[in-house]
Amino acid sequence: LAATTVDIRLQSDSQFLCSDQRMDTELVDRLVLQLNRIYPQILSDKEAHRFRNLSVPTKVRLADLLKHLHRKGEEACHEFYRALHIHTEDIYSSLPSRVRERGPMFFLSCFSFVVGIAILYYYGEGETLRCTGVFLHCSAVRLSKDARDVFISYGEVGK
């Protein structure tokens, strides 16, 4: 069952990966090299050379690589995800399969947390308000760049 889960996950993420502009030639080459050097049983030298051929467009090479890994099985798919996570966490975190894994309770808990902080911040008095500003800066660390900027700017307005 686990093998089919990873295989299905790679299939569902393939379209996203092939259409994402961040999956450029350099990143695809780094992924291919890591799979080839660390796991030659997954990607042989000959296969790696094929997937690094610059005369073929990057999106085509990436689509072929993903199909190849899917045919290789669970371990190959798992190691691709591992390499993607190592080389570009922002793409890895935004994969459709990762977003679905979080589920509605994750988003509900995040929303509730933000609402709680907002209530503390806007309706708090004196010392509570000053302490909240520092907490807002710390809370913004795991947000995306744009969300972090907005979150911190609201924190700065209240000072």
Side-chain angles (χ1 to χ4, degrees):
L1 183 66
T4 58
T5 304
V6 176
D7 291 345
I8 291 169
R9 182 176 168 201
L10 184 62
Q11 277 186 311
S12 71
D13 290 336
S14 291
Q15 184 178 5
F16 171 82
L17 289 167
C18 290
S19 65
D20 194 317
Q21 296 299 317
R22 298 173 292 179
M23 294 294 292
D24 59 9
T25 300
E26 182 182 333
L27 177 57
V28 171
D29 285 349
R30 284 187 296 184
L31 295 170
V32 168
L33 286 173
Q34 180 170 343
L35 290 171
N36 173 242
R37 289 181 180 153
I38 297 176
Y39 302 99
Q41 71 276 16
I42 292 175
L43 208 58
S44 69
D45 290 338
K46 183 179 179 181
E47 292 165 336
H49 180 69
R50 186 179 98 210
F51 295 123
R52 294 187 71 219
N53 183 355
L54 295 178
S55 65
V56 178
T58 303
K59 301 299 178 194
V60 173
R61 289 186 291 129
L62 177 59
D64 289 344
L65 173 65
L66 296 173
K67 287 176 193 170
H68 173 79
L69 294 172
H70 179 70
R71 283 191 300 270
K72 286 278 187 164
E74 177 187 8
E75 183 184 2
C77 297
H78 178 73
E79 293 308 327
F80 171 78
Y81 280 116
R82 187 168 167 263
L84 187 64
H85 189 218
I86 289 168
H87 290 286
T88 176
E89 190 171 335
D90 59 323
I91 295 174
Y92 177 78
S93 298
S94 60
L95 289 170
S97 63
R98 298 273 308 155
V99 172
R100 278 192 303 271
E101 284 176 6
R102 293 179 187 150
M105 288 307 293
F106 171 79
F107 292 106
L108 183 60
S109 64
C110 289
F111 179 73
S112 299
F113 173 76
V114 170
V115 168
I117 294 301
I119 289 170
L120 261 178
Y121 184 75
Y122 287 108
Y123 296 105
E125 296 178 19
E127 190 62 33
T128 305
L129 187 58
R130 282 191 288 280
C131 294
T132 307
V134 174
F135 185 71
L136 284 175
H137 284 277
C138 294
S139 298
V141 172
R142 295 289 297 173
L143 298 175
S144 70
K145 183 187 179 314
D146 294 332
R148 181 176 37 240
D149 292 344
V150 170
F151 203 58
I152 290 175
S153 70
Y154 279 116
E156 295 296 324
V157 168
K159 288 185 178 179

